[in-house]
Amino acid sequence: MSETTARPAAAQLGIPRQTTAPSEGRAQAEQLAGTPTDWELKKDRGSTTVWRVTGPTGQWALKIGRDEDAAVVAREAEVLRRIATVPPTSYGTHSKSGRASGSAWLLTPWLAGPSTWDAFRAVRDGSLDRSQALAAAVDLATAVGALHQSGWVHGDVQPHHAIHAPGGVRLVGCSWAWHMSLPPSYASHGGLLYLMPPELIRRVEDEQRLIAPSQRDETYTLAASLWWAATNSWPLDYSQLGIDPARFTGKGLREVLVRRWPPLGRIAAWPQLEEVLRAVLTARPNERPSALHLAQWLRSLPS
């Protein structure tokens, strides 16, 4: 096969133009996608890259972790092998992976469809048509609930980690998922800080290891994720504390939140959604509803 190149679209998104396809996982990707193979760099975060590999027999996602991210990608590969019996992560049945010196790669079917974040774009833009967003919210909550029913915790729920594919919601970014049969990773810090419940933040700040988000923790994060998707702002109103959270390090912000927990903001454009999410985000941990209960509440909302 001749040397392959990334599409110009990657450069237009601010991703450095790549002149050659990666060596890690390349043979396996070309075997599955067929040749000639087109390579598009979709994400480049230095030590982690994600490629979309397209050929005459299929489309695949190739994630490569190098240096410190090699272990993260390798763990995600292990999770997907174990969690493939759960519908939201069933694509793991077809995953392939490998290790090389200083790197790891993971090959999965390309998941076509909008993320939950994408599904809420019309709401963020002020549209009164909320049908797509509401359907996505219900589907995401149902998917997380299915994961919980199987005994798993995703560990990093956020609106960018759910793809609403034709066959149903698929949860991605599974590196920190855990189960009784697969303990949490020591490298996990509990997920995105702005979406974490207060009790999980306290455990992180107390330097407890392992950091294992519970299913109740994750229901909070799920509700916070939907709030963020609907408003493009964090659920907590940090202005009530007189601070800009973007100016803090993670540890600095955790120290503030352990001492003072700010009130929630508002979803002024969709008060019915706010009411449901507020009930989850203000509930005591032992009274917090499950993800499936949240899905039921969301189904009752008018679109």
Side-chain angles (χ1 to χ4, degrees), residues 147-153 178 213-220 288-291:
L147 203 68
H148 289 176
Q149 281 189 319
S150 70
W152 283 88
V153 175
W178 72 276
S214 69
Q215 293 182 358
R216 297 291 181 178
D217 292 336
E218 193 148 270
T219 302
Y220 179 102
R288 194 173 293 143
S290 68

Side-chain angles (χ1 to χ4, degrees), residues 71-84 92 95 97 105-106 152 174-175 177 181-182:
V72 178
V73 172
R75 190 177 192 280
E76 184 171 6
E78 175 65 17
V79 167
L80 288 181
R81 280 193 292 271
R82 292 172 178 252
I83 207 172
S95 66
S97 61
W105 58 269
L106 171 62
W152 283 88
C174 299
S175 297
S181 65
L182 182 67

Side-chain angles (χ1 to χ4, degrees), residues 147 152-157 173 176-178 188-192 213 218 221:
L147 203 68
W152 283 88
V153 175
H154 184 275
D156 194 14
V157 167
W176 308 127
W178 72 276
S188 171
H189 290 87
L192 187 59
E218 193 148 270
T221 298

Side-chain angles (χ1 to χ4, degrees), residues 1 10 12 16 18 34 70 79 120 142 158 164 176 188 212-213 225 242 255 285 295:
M1 175 182 171
Q12 292 169 3
Q18 301 291 303
V79 167
F120 269 81
T142 303
Q158 51 180 282
H164 298 266
W176 308 127
S188 171
S225 295
E255 290 174 348

Side-chain angles (χ1 to χ4, degrees), residues 21-278:
S23 58
E24 299 96 330
R26 176 173 176 173
Q28 291 81 359
E30 291 176 346
Q31 181 181 17
L32 289 168
T35 56
T37 308
D38 182 74
W39 293 76
E40 181 183 0
L41 183 62
K42 300 297 291 184
K43 183 183 298 183
D44 187 346
R45 292 182 176 174
S47 53
T48 298
T49 54
V50 177
W51 295 79
R52 179 162 64 183
V53 187
T54 304
T57 58
Q59 204 170 58
W60 293 78
L62 177 63
K63 179 184 287 188
I64 301 169
R66 299 187 176 96
D67 303 325
E68 68 272 13
D69 281 352
V72 178
V73 172
R75 190 177 192 280
E76 184 171 6
E78 175 65 17
V79 167
L80 288 181
R81 280 193 292 271
R82 292 172 178 252
I83 207 172
T85 57
V86 185
T89 48
S90 59
Y91 65 92
T93 303
H94 306 288
S95 66
K96 297 186 180 299
S97 61
R99 294 293 299 261
S101 178
S103 67
W105 58 269
L106 171 62
L107 188 64
T108 58
W110 182 262
L111 302 174
S115 67
T116 304
W117 182 263
D118 296 330
F120 269 81
R121 178 171 288 113
V123 174
R124 294 192 299 274
D125 290 345
S127 172
L128 295 179
D129 183 0
R130 302 158 179 162
S131 55
Q132 182 184 15
L134 183 57
V138 171
D139 289 347
L140 174 57
T142 303
V144 174
L147 203 68
H148 289 176
Q149 281 189 319
S150 70
W152 283 88
V153 175
H154 184 275
D156 194 14
V157 167
Q158 51 180 282
H160 303 81
H161 284 172
I163 305 300
H164 298 266
V169 177
R170 298 295 180 259
L171 298 174
V172 300
C174 299
S175 297
W176 308 127
W178 72 276
H179 185 272
M180 292 297 293
S181 65
L182 182 67
S185 169
Y186 278 97
S188 171
H189 290 87
L192 187 59
L193 173 58
Y194 301 107
L195 307 178
M196 290 165 58
E199 67 273 17
L200 181 57
I201 289 176
R202 292 190 194 97
R203 298 203 301 272
V204 174
E205 187 58 20
D206 289 343
E207 298 183 347
Q208 295 182 20
R209 290 290 184 267
L210 302 164
I211 299 299
S214 69
Q215 293 182 358
R216 297 291 181 178
D217 292 336
E218 193 148 270
T219 302
Y220 179 102
T221 298
L222 170 61
S225 295
L226 295 174
W227 188 296
W228 178 27
T231 63
N232 197 26
S233 60
W234 306 122
L236 299 179
D237 186 359
Y238 293 97
S239 68
Q240 296 299 313
L241 301 185
I243 65 171
D244 176 0
R247 295 181 176 271
F248 286 76
T249 63
K251 180 170 179 53
L253 185 56
R254 288 197 305 270
E255 290 174 348
V256 170
L257 293 175
V258 166
R259 295 194 307 269
R260 297 178 62 198
W261 191 258
L264 293 172
R266 299 295 306 274
I267 308 181
W270 198 350
Q272 299 92 338
L273 178 65
E274 179 188 324
E275 182 179 2
V276 170
L277 299 182
R278 183 177 291 273

